[in-house]
Amino acid sequence: MSEPEIHPVPPGFAARAHVDAAAYAATYRRSVEDTEGFWCEQAAFLDWITPFTQVKDTSFALEDLRIRWFADGTLNASHNCIDRHLPAKADVPAILWEGDDPAERRTVTWGELADKVNRLANVLTGLGVRQGDVVTIYLPVIPEAVVAMMACVRIGAVHSVVFSGFSAEALADRIADARAKVLITADEGRRGGRAVPLKRNADRALERERAVAHVVVVRRSGADVPFTPGRDLWYDEAVAAAAPHCPPVAVGAEDPLFILYTSGSTGKPKGLVHTTGGYLVHTGTSWRTIFDWHEGDVFWCTADVGWVTAHTYKIYGPLLNGATSVLFEGVPTWPDSSRWWSIIERYRVNIFYTAPTAIRSLMREGEEPVRRHDLSSLRVLGSVGEPINPEAWRWYHRVVGGGRCPIVDTYWQTETGAVLLTPIPGAVPNKPGRAGKPYFGIRPVVVDAANAELAGPAEGNLCFADSWPAQARTILHDHGRFLRTYFAPFPGRFFTGDGASRDADGYYRISGRVDDVINVSGHRLGTVELESAIASHPAVAEAAVVGYPHPVKGQGVFAYVTLKGGIAESEGLRGEIVTRVRDRIGPIATPDVVQWAPALPKNRAGKILRRILSKAAAGDFADFGDTSTVADPDVVADIVARRRAARVDGAAGVP
Ligand code: PRX
């Protein structure tokens, strides 16, 4: 890849920024030389109930893994996110909400947010939810999602938000794994003019998971949905009847704050556990720094509440700082493809944070929908979730940002809780496609396959040498998997699962996952999870799923499917397989291509040779490398012949 151009910090920006180039260099050096001292100072950002006496107690050694931050301190997340802003901001908007239908708008002030959170916290207590219990939240992007999260943490309960695009089966899996007691959902969601049947999905999930004693249902659309007396209660009625004050409980810094599921390289989703003190310190302070937020700025992150991006930098980050943010329920292309730009204009958004896949899809609509709106309020743009290709970066910078806004390309993960690499605006000039430099206190290392650290410009596996406060502490009910996945591959280090290169200026470029995870439109999907969903169809003998380059999604889902003997290939069956995946996981996992494979290429030990399947899927037939290990070479020839005959959007070498 050629070296990208450098975009200096825009004139005038650095003068007002929280961090300039000199401050970045000095603070970064200090933060890695005295990591404890640095984070100790950062922790003053929060209100603590019991002050901590120890900052950091961490070790990445496999036999002695410890990730503990501020361990003997106590605090309450909802107090820090809401109560402490009330004296100055009770009447100031905390949330500017717009529904899928542009005519639906609501402003929620800090005072109103506090009132709803207190009341819902009392409702939950009344339903028997106690400190440490898990509440699953399956809601669209509506203010009640924020209220629900805050109500949980006010009483020390642990929220587990499940993306509202996940199917009933995926929801049931996550409820079961978390052993949730209460579910909070809505009658329906709305996306792109269509209804999302949340209550129906919830009811189906609960046919299987009967341990959930109560379901709190938000009336979002007013649709007539089934209601189970004794189990279900309406949110609005329960909140109206509840007592208006609920004192925030003292929670240990190392007590869990939330669980969030993500895909890994085995079939079962991982419930990453985040704890309270460290997560809030890192989230609150980094949000302010990386988006260069100043009092009065309006922030908008487009992520759905079901993902870590929304947890950290749409909900907790702005709330901890008392910032006003936009919440939008819908999609960028409905009613038309200027929807996002109209929202930026309407709410005078100053800081806008989204994903490369959305930028690529809006780029296809041309500049006209953007030009129709006044985006002069924008000052900082952000990108997250997948590598941003330089072409999309330049369009975002020039057309959306008018050439004057720095782009913070933030690299992090569900596991990392908060940002690890990013070009802090005002301090680090941008290079399109590069995720910048380490955040304060963060020590990235690039290692080769033998775990040797590579110095200077290098390419290899991206690891981190030391802990940071927002790091996930474990996988719920499976600490062994936590150790095996993140700490065993490169002993002494945290392994991200990503490949990366570092250039001569110390900028990092993420090349993508090096494990069995694919990144589709910024969503992580485990190939094994997809394969199990496909193989659960009775006609399927075996399936192998790989990612392939997709012009909008970054990666698309390419499924090779072997049918059971005697079953004929048909378009009908192809449709059933696609539906099976949507039912098992959700629409985000829809296979882009299903190619029939009478057999899959395997080595003599029976292991599927994914490298060959990935290359064929990408239309890269030139060099399959060493194929001498393939047990049956005719299988490869057949795969290639069928792939050549297929039309695949965007892949190289399409016939
Ligand atoms: O592959 C990296 C990619 O997204 C993965 C993490 O996904 P998830 O846990 O869903 O969190 C996404 C939002 C924080 C990473 O392992 N990724 C995330 N941010 C970037 C990225 N790849 C390149 N550049 C980024 N800025």
Side-chain angles (χ1 to χ4, degrees), residues 262 307-309 353 383-388 409-416 421 435 496-498 510-513 519 522-524:
T262 191
W307 309 119
V308 78
T309 300
Y353 189 36
S383 174
V384 64
E386 44 172 328
I388 180 164
D409 181 353
T410 59
Y411 170 81
W412 56 295
Q413 308 178 302
T414 308
E415 292 83 345
T416 73
L421 304 174
T496 59
D498 285 305
I510 309 300
S511 48
R513 304 289 308 192
N519 191 329
H523 300 135
R524 262 164 83 166

PDB file of all heavy atoms in Angstrom, residues 262 307-309 353 383-388 409-416 421 435 496-498 510-513 519 522-524, ligand 1:
ATOM      1  N   THR A 262     -20.289 -10.539  22.142  1.00  0.00           N
ATOM      2  CA  THR A 262     -19.682 -10.351  20.832  1.00  0.00           C
ATOM      3  C   THR A 262     -19.293 -11.713  20.294  1.00  0.00           C
ATOM      4  O   THR A 262     -19.256 -12.698  21.024  1.00  0.00           O
ATOM      5  CB  THR A 262     -18.481  -9.391  20.907  1.00  0.00           C
ATOM      6  OG1 THR A 262     -18.086  -9.049  19.571  1.00  0.00           O
ATOM      7  CG2 THR A 262     -17.293  -9.996  21.625  1.00  0.00           C
ATOM      8  N   TRP A 307     -24.327  -2.146  20.585  1.00  0.00           N
ATOM      9  CA  TRP A 307     -22.893  -2.378  20.362  1.00  0.00           C
ATOM     10  C   TRP A 307     -22.048  -1.587  21.358  1.00  0.00           C
ATOM     11  O   TRP A 307     -22.499  -0.606  21.935  1.00  0.00           O
ATOM     12  CB  TRP A 307     -22.496  -1.977  18.934  1.00  0.00           C
ATOM     13  CG  TRP A 307     -23.371  -2.571  17.886  1.00  0.00           C
ATOM     14  CD1 TRP A 307     -24.147  -1.886  16.998  1.00  0.00           C
ATOM     15  CD2 TRP A 307     -23.589  -3.964  17.620  1.00  0.00           C
ATOM     16  NE1 TRP A 307     -24.826  -2.763  16.189  1.00  0.00           N
ATOM     17  CE2 TRP A 307     -24.508  -4.043  16.541  1.00  0.00           C
ATOM     18  CE3 TRP A 307     -23.109  -5.155  18.172  1.00  0.00           C
ATOM     19  CZ2 TRP A 307     -24.940  -5.256  16.018  1.00  0.00           C
ATOM     20  CZ3 TRP A 307     -23.550  -6.366  17.652  1.00  0.00           C
ATOM     21  CH2 TRP A 307     -24.444  -6.407  16.588  1.00  0.00           C
ATOM     22  N   VAL A 308     -20.787  -1.978  21.472  1.00  0.00           N
ATOM     23  CA  VAL A 308     -19.917  -1.324  22.448  1.00  0.00           C
ATOM     24  C   VAL A 308     -19.683   0.136  22.090  1.00  0.00           C
ATOM     25  O   VAL A 308     -19.529   0.989  22.968  1.00  0.00           O
ATOM     26  CB  VAL A 308     -18.582  -2.086  22.616  1.00  0.00           C
ATOM     27  CG1 VAL A 308     -17.621  -1.804  21.454  1.00  0.00           C
ATOM     28  CG2 VAL A 308     -17.928  -1.747  23.949  1.00  0.00           C
ATOM     29  N   THR A 309     -19.679   0.456  20.801  1.00  0.00           N
ATOM     30  CA  THR A 309     -19.468   1.852  20.397  1.00  0.00           C
ATOM     31  C   THR A 309     -20.500   2.745  21.080  1.00  0.00           C
ATOM     32  O   THR A 309     -20.183   3.821  21.586  1.00  0.00           O
ATOM     33  CB  THR A 309     -19.592   1.989  18.866  1.00  0.00           C
ATOM     34  OG1 THR A 309     -18.602   1.162  18.271  1.00  0.00           O
ATOM     35  CG2 THR A 309     -19.407   3.415  18.416  1.00  0.00           C
ATOM     36  N   TYR A 353     -19.868  10.883  14.751  1.00  0.00           N
ATOM     37  CA  TYR A 353     -19.067   9.652  14.879  1.00  0.00           C
ATOM     38  C   TYR A 353     -19.814   8.518  14.204  1.00  0.00           C
ATOM     39  O   TYR A 353     -20.953   8.212  14.589  1.00  0.00           O
ATOM     40  CB  TYR A 353     -18.921   9.372  16.375  1.00  0.00           C
ATOM     41  CG  TYR A 353     -17.975   8.278  16.819  1.00  0.00           C
ATOM     42  CD1 TYR A 353     -16.765   8.027  16.169  1.00  0.00           C
ATOM     43  CD2 TYR A 353     -18.280   7.524  17.958  1.00  0.00           C
ATOM     44  CE1 TYR A 353     -15.901   7.043  16.646  1.00  0.00           C
ATOM     45  CE2 TYR A 353     -17.417   6.550  18.437  1.00  0.00           C
ATOM     46  CZ  TYR A 353     -16.225   6.315  17.769  1.00  0.00           C
ATOM     47  OH  TYR A 353     -15.370   5.351  18.245  1.00  0.00           O
ATOM     48  N   SER A 383     -14.533   7.951  13.145  1.00  0.00           N
ATOM     49  CA  SER A 383     -14.747   6.700  12.407  1.00  0.00           C
ATOM     50  C   SER A 383     -14.415   5.547  13.331  1.00  0.00           C
ATOM     51  O   SER A 383     -13.495   5.637  14.143  1.00  0.00           O
ATOM     52  CB  SER A 383     -13.827   6.688  11.178  1.00  0.00           C
ATOM     53  OG  SER A 383     -13.900   5.437  10.521  1.00  0.00           O
ATOM     54  N   VAL A 384     -15.157   4.450  13.200  1.00  0.00           N
ATOM     55  CA  VAL A 384     -14.943   3.319  14.115  1.00  0.00           C
ATOM     56  C   VAL A 384     -15.466   2.018  13.521  1.00  0.00           C
ATOM     57  O   VAL A 384     -16.376   2.032  12.707  1.00  0.00           O
ATOM     58  CB  VAL A 384     -15.645   3.563  15.469  1.00  0.00           C
ATOM     59  CG1 VAL A 384     -17.152   3.649  15.324  1.00  0.00           C
ATOM     60  CG2 VAL A 384     -15.283   2.487  16.498  1.00  0.00           C
ATOM     61  N   GLY A 385     -14.886   0.924  13.958  1.00  0.00           N
ATOM     62  CA  GLY A 385     -15.472  -0.393  13.713  1.00  0.00           C
ATOM     63  C   GLY A 385     -14.792  -1.225  12.669  1.00  0.00           C
ATOM     64  O   GLY A 385     -14.921  -2.445  12.656  1.00  0.00           O
ATOM     65  N   GLU A 386     -14.070  -0.603  11.758  1.00  0.00           N
ATOM     66  CA  GLU A 386     -13.392  -1.331  10.696  1.00  0.00           C
ATOM     67  C   GLU A 386     -12.389  -0.366  10.070  1.00  0.00           C
ATOM     68  O   GLU A 386     -12.494   0.844  10.256  1.00  0.00           O
ATOM     69  CB  GLU A 386     -14.394  -1.814   9.641  1.00  0.00           C
ATOM     70  CG  GLU A 386     -15.359  -0.740   9.309  1.00  0.00           C
ATOM     71  CD  GLU A 386     -16.292  -1.031   8.148  1.00  0.00           C
ATOM     72  OE1 GLU A 386     -15.902  -1.747   7.215  1.00  0.00           O
ATOM     73  OE2 GLU A 386     -17.384  -0.485   8.171  1.00  0.00           O
ATOM     74  N   PRO A 387     -11.454  -0.902   9.312  1.00  0.00           N
ATOM     75  CA  PRO A 387     -10.508   0.001   8.663  1.00  0.00           C
ATOM     76  C   PRO A 387     -11.256   0.905   7.681  1.00  0.00           C
ATOM     77  O   PRO A 387     -12.164   0.455   6.995  1.00  0.00           O
ATOM     78  CB  PRO A 387      -9.577  -0.958   7.907  1.00  0.00           C
ATOM     79  CG  PRO A 387      -9.756  -2.294   8.570  1.00  0.00           C
ATOM     80  CD  PRO A 387     -11.173  -2.309   9.062  1.00  0.00           C
ATOM     81  N   ILE A 388     -10.895   2.180   7.667  1.00  0.00           N
ATOM     82  CA  ILE A 388     -11.512   3.081   6.684  1.00  0.00           C
ATOM     83  C   ILE A 388     -10.556   3.193   5.500  1.00  0.00           C
ATOM     84  O   ILE A 388      -9.383   3.528   5.667  1.00  0.00           O
ATOM     85  CB  ILE A 388     -11.892   4.455   7.298  1.00  0.00           C
ATOM     86  CG1 ILE A 388     -12.518   5.353   6.234  1.00  0.00           C
ATOM     87  CG2 ILE A 388     -10.741   5.140   8.009  1.00  0.00           C
ATOM     88  CD1 ILE A 388     -13.272   6.567   6.800  1.00  0.00           C
ATOM     89  N   ASP A 409      -9.996   8.458  13.796  1.00  0.00           N
ATOM     90  CA  ASP A 409     -10.221   7.055  13.441  1.00  0.00           C
ATOM     91  C   ASP A 409      -9.879   6.270  14.705  1.00  0.00           C
ATOM     92  O   ASP A 409      -8.719   6.140  15.077  1.00  0.00           O
ATOM     93  CB  ASP A 409      -9.299   6.696  12.270  1.00  0.00           C
ATOM     94  CG  ASP A 409      -9.465   5.257  11.815  1.00  0.00           C
ATOM     95  OD1 ASP A 409     -10.195   4.492  12.474  1.00  0.00           O
ATOM     96  OD2 ASP A 409      -8.839   4.902  10.799  1.00  0.00           O
ATOM     97  N   THR A 410     -10.917   5.790  15.394  1.00  0.00           N
ATOM     98  CA  THR A 410     -10.705   5.207  16.718  1.00  0.00           C
ATOM     99  C   THR A 410     -10.645   3.695  16.636  1.00  0.00           C
ATOM    100  O   THR A 410     -11.606   3.049  16.221  1.00  0.00           O
ATOM    101  CB  THR A 410     -11.865   5.608  17.655  1.00  0.00           C
ATOM    102  OG1 THR A 410     -13.087   5.148  17.081  1.00  0.00           O
ATOM    103  CG2 THR A 410     -11.935   7.109  17.838  1.00  0.00           C
ATOM    104  N   TYR A 411      -9.538   3.130  17.039  1.00  0.00           N
ATOM    105  CA  TYR A 411      -9.395   1.674  17.055  1.00  0.00           C
ATOM    106  C   TYR A 411      -9.602   1.157  18.473  1.00  0.00           C
ATOM    107  O   TYR A 411      -8.878   1.556  19.405  1.00  0.00           O
ATOM    108  CB  TYR A 411      -8.007   1.239  16.560  1.00  0.00           C
ATOM    109  CG  TYR A 411      -7.792  -0.238  16.821  1.00  0.00           C
ATOM    110  CD1 TYR A 411      -8.314  -1.187  15.957  1.00  0.00           C
ATOM    111  CD2 TYR A 411      -7.139  -0.683  17.975  1.00  0.00           C
ATOM    112  CE1 TYR A 411      -8.183  -2.542  16.223  1.00  0.00           C
ATOM    113  CE2 TYR A 411      -7.005  -2.035  18.245  1.00  0.00           C
ATOM    114  CZ  TYR A 411      -7.535  -2.951  17.360  1.00  0.00           C
ATOM    115  OH  TYR A 411      -7.418  -4.284  17.629  1.00  0.00           O
ATOM    116  N   TRP A 412     -10.543   0.269  18.623  1.00  0.00           N
ATOM    117  CA  TRP A 412     -10.786  -0.409  19.910  1.00  0.00           C
ATOM    118  C   TRP A 412     -11.725  -1.563  19.680  1.00  0.00           C
ATOM    119  O   TRP A 412     -12.043  -1.884  18.541  1.00  0.00           O
ATOM    120  CB  TRP A 412     -11.270   0.581  20.969  1.00  0.00           C
ATOM    121  CG  TRP A 412     -12.488   1.385  20.635  1.00  0.00           C
ATOM    122  CD1 TRP A 412     -12.602   2.312  19.638  1.00  0.00           C
ATOM    123  CD2 TRP A 412     -13.753   1.344  21.296  1.00  0.00           C
ATOM    124  NE1 TRP A 412     -13.866   2.855  19.648  1.00  0.00           N
ATOM    125  CE2 TRP A 412     -14.592   2.277  20.649  1.00  0.00           C
ATOM    126  CE3 TRP A 412     -14.266   0.630  22.364  1.00  0.00           C
ATOM    127  CZ2 TRP A 412     -15.918   2.508  21.037  1.00  0.00           C
ATOM    128  CZ3 TRP A 412     -15.575   0.852  22.765  1.00  0.00           C
ATOM    129  CH2 TRP A 412     -16.380   1.784  22.096  1.00  0.00           C
ATOM    130  N   GLN A 413     -12.175  -2.214  20.740  1.00  0.00           N
ATOM    131  CA  GLN A 413     -12.981  -3.432  20.620  1.00  0.00           C
ATOM    132  C   GLN A 413     -13.949  -3.541  21.799  1.00  0.00           C
ATOM    133  O   GLN A 413     -13.752  -2.893  22.829  1.00  0.00           O
ATOM    134  CB  GLN A 413     -12.086  -4.676  20.714  1.00  0.00           C
ATOM    135  CG  GLN A 413     -10.903  -4.699  19.799  1.00  0.00           C
ATOM    136  CD  GLN A 413     -10.069  -5.949  20.019  1.00  0.00           C
ATOM    137  OE1 GLN A 413      -9.601  -6.201  21.119  1.00  0.00           O
ATOM    138  NE2 GLN A 413      -9.880  -6.724  18.967  1.00  0.00           N
ATOM    139  N   THR A 414     -14.904  -4.475  21.666  1.00  0.00           N
ATOM    140  CA  THR A 414     -15.783  -4.779  22.796  1.00  0.00           C
ATOM    141  C   THR A 414     -14.920  -5.138  24.011  1.00  0.00           C
ATOM    142  O   THR A 414     -15.216  -4.740  25.137  1.00  0.00           O
ATOM    143  CB  THR A 414     -16.710  -5.957  22.440  1.00  0.00           C
ATOM    144  OG1 THR A 414     -17.362  -5.663  21.211  1.00  0.00           O
ATOM    145  CG2 THR A 414     -17.747  -6.188  23.523  1.00  0.00           C
ATOM    146  N   GLU A 415     -13.854  -5.873  23.772  1.00  0.00           N
ATOM    147  CA  GLU A 415     -12.984  -6.327  24.860  1.00  0.00           C
ATOM    148  C   GLU A 415     -12.196  -5.186  25.491  1.00  0.00           C
ATOM    149  O   GLU A 415     -11.852  -5.248  26.671  1.00  0.00           O
ATOM    150  CB  GLU A 415     -11.944  -7.330  24.331  1.00  0.00           C
ATOM    151  CG  GLU A 415     -12.494  -8.654  23.881  1.00  0.00           C
ATOM    152  CD  GLU A 415     -13.033  -8.646  22.459  1.00  0.00           C
ATOM    153  OE1 GLU A 415     -13.244  -7.547  21.887  1.00  0.00           O
ATOM    154  OE2 GLU A 415     -13.262  -9.736  21.919  1.00  0.00           O
ATOM    155  N   THR A 416     -11.862  -4.172  24.693  1.00  0.00           N
ATOM    156  CA  THR A 416     -10.989  -3.121  25.241  1.00  0.00           C
ATOM    157  C   THR A 416     -11.802  -2.058  25.968  1.00  0.00           C
ATOM    158  O   THR A 416     -11.243  -1.264  26.711  1.00  0.00           O
ATOM    159  CB  THR A 416     -10.131  -2.458  24.149  1.00  0.00           C
ATOM    160  OG1 THR A 416     -10.953  -1.625  23.337  1.00  0.00           O
ATOM    161  CG2 THR A 416      -9.408  -3.490  23.297  1.00  0.00           C
ATOM    162  N   LEU A 421      -6.124   3.129  20.160  1.00  0.00           N
ATOM    163  CA  LEU A 421      -5.329   3.853  19.169  1.00  0.00           C
ATOM    164  C   LEU A 421      -6.220   4.896  18.506  1.00  0.00           C
ATOM    165  O   LEU A 421      -7.357   4.589  18.142  1.00  0.00           O
ATOM    166  CB  LEU A 421      -4.838   2.909  18.061  1.00  0.00           C
ATOM    167  CG  LEU A 421      -4.023   1.685  18.457  1.00  0.00           C
ATOM    168  CD1 LEU A 421      -3.768   0.809  17.217  1.00  0.00           C
ATOM    169  CD2 LEU A 421      -2.693   2.101  19.080  1.00  0.00           C
ATOM    170  N   ALA A 435      -5.094   4.353  11.844  1.00  0.00           N
ATOM    171  CA  ALA A 435      -5.807   4.563  13.110  1.00  0.00           C
ATOM    172  C   ALA A 435      -4.959   5.342  14.112  1.00  0.00           C
ATOM    173  O   ALA A 435      -5.233   5.335  15.307  1.00  0.00           O
ATOM    174  CB  ALA A 435      -6.267   3.237  13.688  1.00  0.00           C
ATOM    175  N   THR A 496      -5.255  -8.915  20.282  1.00  0.00           N
ATOM    176  CA  THR A 496      -6.508  -8.325  19.796  1.00  0.00           C
ATOM    177  C   THR A 496      -7.239  -9.195  18.783  1.00  0.00           C
ATOM    178  O   THR A 496      -8.427  -8.973  18.535  1.00  0.00           O
ATOM    179  CB  THR A 496      -6.201  -6.991  19.083  1.00  0.00           C
ATOM    180  OG1 THR A 496      -5.289  -7.289  17.994  1.00  0.00           O
ATOM    181  CG2 THR A 496      -5.571  -5.985  20.025  1.00  0.00           C
ATOM    182  N   GLY A 497      -6.509 -10.096  18.130  1.00  0.00           N
ATOM    183  CA  GLY A 497      -7.111 -10.831  17.002  1.00  0.00           C
ATOM    184  C   GLY A 497      -6.931 -10.089  15.688  1.00  0.00           C
ATOM    185  O   GLY A 497      -7.360 -10.566  14.641  1.00  0.00           O
ATOM    186  N   ASP A 498      -6.288  -8.912  15.739  1.00  0.00           N
ATOM    187  CA  ASP A 498      -6.082  -8.118  14.523  1.00  0.00           C
ATOM    188  C   ASP A 498      -4.623  -8.149  14.069  1.00  0.00           C
ATOM    189  O   ASP A 498      -3.713  -8.250  14.893  1.00  0.00           O
ATOM    190  CB  ASP A 498      -6.448  -6.653  14.780  1.00  0.00           C
ATOM    191  CG  ASP A 498      -7.944  -6.436  14.834  1.00  0.00           C
ATOM    192  OD1 ASP A 498      -8.620  -6.807  13.864  1.00  0.00           O
ATOM    193  OD2 ASP A 498      -8.431  -5.905  15.853  1.00  0.00           O
ATOM    194  N   ILE A 510      -4.599  -0.822  10.708  1.00  0.00           N
ATOM    195  CA  ILE A 510      -5.179  -2.122  11.055  1.00  0.00           C
ATOM    196  C   ILE A 510      -5.473  -2.848   9.749  1.00  0.00           C
ATOM    197  O   ILE A 510      -6.182  -2.317   8.888  1.00  0.00           O
ATOM    198  CB  ILE A 510      -6.495  -1.947  11.862  1.00  0.00           C
ATOM    199  CG1 ILE A 510      -6.298  -0.990  13.043  1.00  0.00           C
ATOM    200  CG2 ILE A 510      -7.058  -3.291  12.299  1.00  0.00           C
ATOM    201  CD1 ILE A 510      -5.261  -1.405  14.055  1.00  0.00           C
ATOM    202  N   SER A 511      -4.937  -4.064   9.610  1.00  0.00           N
ATOM    203  CA  SER A 511      -5.192  -4.770   8.348  1.00  0.00           C
ATOM    204  C   SER A 511      -6.398  -5.685   8.449  1.00  0.00           C
ATOM    205  O   SER A 511      -6.893  -6.166   7.439  1.00  0.00           O
ATOM    206  CB  SER A 511      -3.949  -5.540   7.917  1.00  0.00           C
ATOM    207  OG  SER A 511      -3.453  -6.281   8.998  1.00  0.00           O
ATOM    208  N   GLY A 512      -6.903  -5.926   9.649  1.00  0.00           N
ATOM    209  CA  GLY A 512      -8.114  -6.744   9.786  1.00  0.00           C
ATOM    210  C   GLY A 512      -7.859  -7.958  10.652  1.00  0.00           C
ATOM    211  O   GLY A 512      -6.755  -8.178  11.150  1.00  0.00           O
ATOM    212  N   ARG A 513      -8.913  -8.739  10.843  1.00  0.00           N
ATOM    213  CA  ARG A 513      -8.844  -9.876  11.758  1.00  0.00           C
ATOM    214  C   ARG A 513      -7.936 -10.961  11.192  1.00  0.00           C
ATOM    215  O   ARG A 513      -7.935 -11.234  10.004  1.00  0.00           O
ATOM    216  CB  ARG A 513     -10.246 -10.469  11.969  1.00  0.00           C
ATOM    217  CG  ARG A 513     -11.273  -9.494  12.466  1.00  0.00           C
ATOM    218  CD  ARG A 513     -11.105  -9.067  13.882  1.00  0.00           C
ATOM    219  NE  ARG A 513     -10.992 -10.169  14.826  1.00  0.00           N
ATOM    220  CZ  ARG A 513     -11.063 -10.014  16.150  1.00  0.00           C
ATOM    221  NH1 ARG A 513     -11.239  -8.799  16.679  1.00  0.00           N
ATOM    222  NH2 ARG A 513     -10.950 -11.024  16.947  1.00  0.00           N
ATOM    223  N   ASN A 519     -15.593  -9.100   9.616  1.00  0.00           N
ATOM    224  CA  ASN A 519     -16.128  -7.801   9.994  1.00  0.00           C
ATOM    225  C   ASN A 519     -17.021  -7.316   8.856  1.00  0.00           C
ATOM    226  O   ASN A 519     -16.546  -6.838   7.836  1.00  0.00           O
ATOM    227  CB  ASN A 519     -14.960  -6.844  10.253  1.00  0.00           C
ATOM    228  CG  ASN A 519     -15.415  -5.560  10.914  1.00  0.00           C
ATOM    229  OD1 ASN A 519     -16.533  -5.097  10.692  1.00  0.00           O
ATOM    230  ND2 ASN A 519     -14.549  -4.968  11.722  1.00  0.00           N
ATOM    231  N   GLY A 522     -18.883  -3.404   9.807  1.00  0.00           N
ATOM    232  CA  GLY A 522     -18.492  -3.019  11.170  1.00  0.00           C
ATOM    233  C   GLY A 522     -19.063  -3.945  12.232  1.00  0.00           C
ATOM    234  O   GLY A 522     -18.870  -3.713  13.418  1.00  0.00           O
ATOM    235  N   HIS A 523     -19.783  -5.000  11.837  1.00  0.00           N
ATOM    236  CA  HIS A 523     -20.301  -5.968  12.812  1.00  0.00           C
ATOM    237  C   HIS A 523     -19.423  -7.198  12.812  1.00  0.00           C
ATOM    238  O   HIS A 523     -19.112  -7.745  11.761  1.00  0.00           O
ATOM    239  CB  HIS A 523     -21.736  -6.396  12.450  1.00  0.00           C
ATOM    240  CG  HIS A 523     -22.703  -5.267  12.416  1.00  0.00           C
ATOM    241  ND1 HIS A 523     -23.613  -5.092  11.419  1.00  0.00           N
ATOM    242  CD2 HIS A 523     -22.886  -4.243  13.273  1.00  0.00           C
ATOM    243  CE1 HIS A 523     -24.326  -4.009  11.659  1.00  0.00           C
ATOM    244  NE2 HIS A 523     -23.896  -3.469  12.778  1.00  0.00           N
ATOM    245  N   ARG A 524     -19.093  -7.633  13.999  1.00  0.00           N
ATOM    246  CA  ARG A 524     -18.254  -8.831  14.116  1.00  0.00           C
ATOM    247  C   ARG A 524     -19.103 -10.075  14.028  1.00  0.00           C
ATOM    248  O   ARG A 524     -20.050 -10.234  14.772  1.00  0.00           O
ATOM    249  CB  ARG A 524     -17.598  -8.816  15.481  1.00  0.00           C
ATOM    250  CG  ARG A 524     -16.235  -8.290  15.470  1.00  0.00           C
ATOM    251  CD  ARG A 524     -15.843  -7.962  16.868  1.00  0.00           C
ATOM    252  NE  ARG A 524     -15.373  -9.153  17.555  1.00  0.00           N
ATOM    253  CZ  ARG A 524     -14.711  -9.079  18.701  1.00  0.00           C
ATOM    254  NH1 ARG A 524     -14.493  -7.916  19.255  1.00  0.00           N
ATOM    255  NH2 ARG A 524     -14.285 -10.165  19.280  1.00  0.00           N
TER     256      ARG A 524
HETATM  257  O1  PRX B   1     -11.002  -5.673  13.703  1.00  0.00           O
HETATM  258  C1  PRX B   1     -11.072  -4.549  14.541  1.00  0.00           C
HETATM  259  C2  PRX B   1     -12.237  -3.687  14.102  1.00  0.00           C
HETATM  260  O2  PRX B   1     -13.353  -4.096  14.864  1.00  0.00           O
HETATM  261  C3  PRX B   1     -12.959  -5.094  15.807  1.00  0.00           C
HETATM  262  C4  PRX B   1     -13.704  -4.895  17.096  1.00  0.00           C
HETATM  263  O3  PRX B   1     -15.070  -5.069  16.882  1.00  0.00           O
HETATM  264  P1  PRX B   1     -16.097  -4.765  18.038  1.00  0.00           P
HETATM  265  O4  PRX B   1     -15.688  -5.490  19.256  1.00  0.00           O
HETATM  266  O5  PRX B   1     -17.448  -5.045  17.491  1.00  0.00           O
HETATM  267  O6  PRX B   1     -15.947  -3.239  18.328  1.00  0.00           O
HETATM  268  C5  PRX B   1     -16.153  -2.321  17.286  1.00  0.00           C
HETATM  269  C6  PRX B   1     -16.150  -0.899  17.789  1.00  0.00           C
HETATM  270  C7  PRX B   1     -15.143  -0.517  18.772  1.00  0.00           C
HETATM  271  C8  PRX B   1     -11.479  -4.939  15.944  1.00  0.00           C
HETATM  272  O7  PRX B   1     -10.867  -6.122  16.400  1.00  0.00           O
HETATM  273  N1  PRX B   1     -12.004  -2.250  14.326  1.00  0.00           N
HETATM  274  C9  PRX B   1     -12.558  -1.487  15.281  1.00  0.00           C
HETATM  275  N2  PRX B   1     -12.168  -0.199  15.122  1.00  0.00           N
HETATM  276  C10 PRX B   1     -11.353  -0.161  14.054  1.00  0.00           C
HETATM  277  C11 PRX B   1     -11.236  -1.469  13.551  1.00  0.00           C
HETATM  278  N3  PRX B   1     -10.453  -1.758  12.498  1.00  0.00           N
HETATM  279  C12 PRX B   1      -9.794  -0.741  11.922  1.00  0.00           C
HETATM  280  N4  PRX B   1      -9.858   0.536  12.339  1.00  0.00           N
HETATM  281  C13 PRX B   1     -10.629   0.889  13.386  1.00  0.00           C
HETATM  282  N5  PRX B   1     -10.702   2.156  13.768  1.00  0.00           N
END
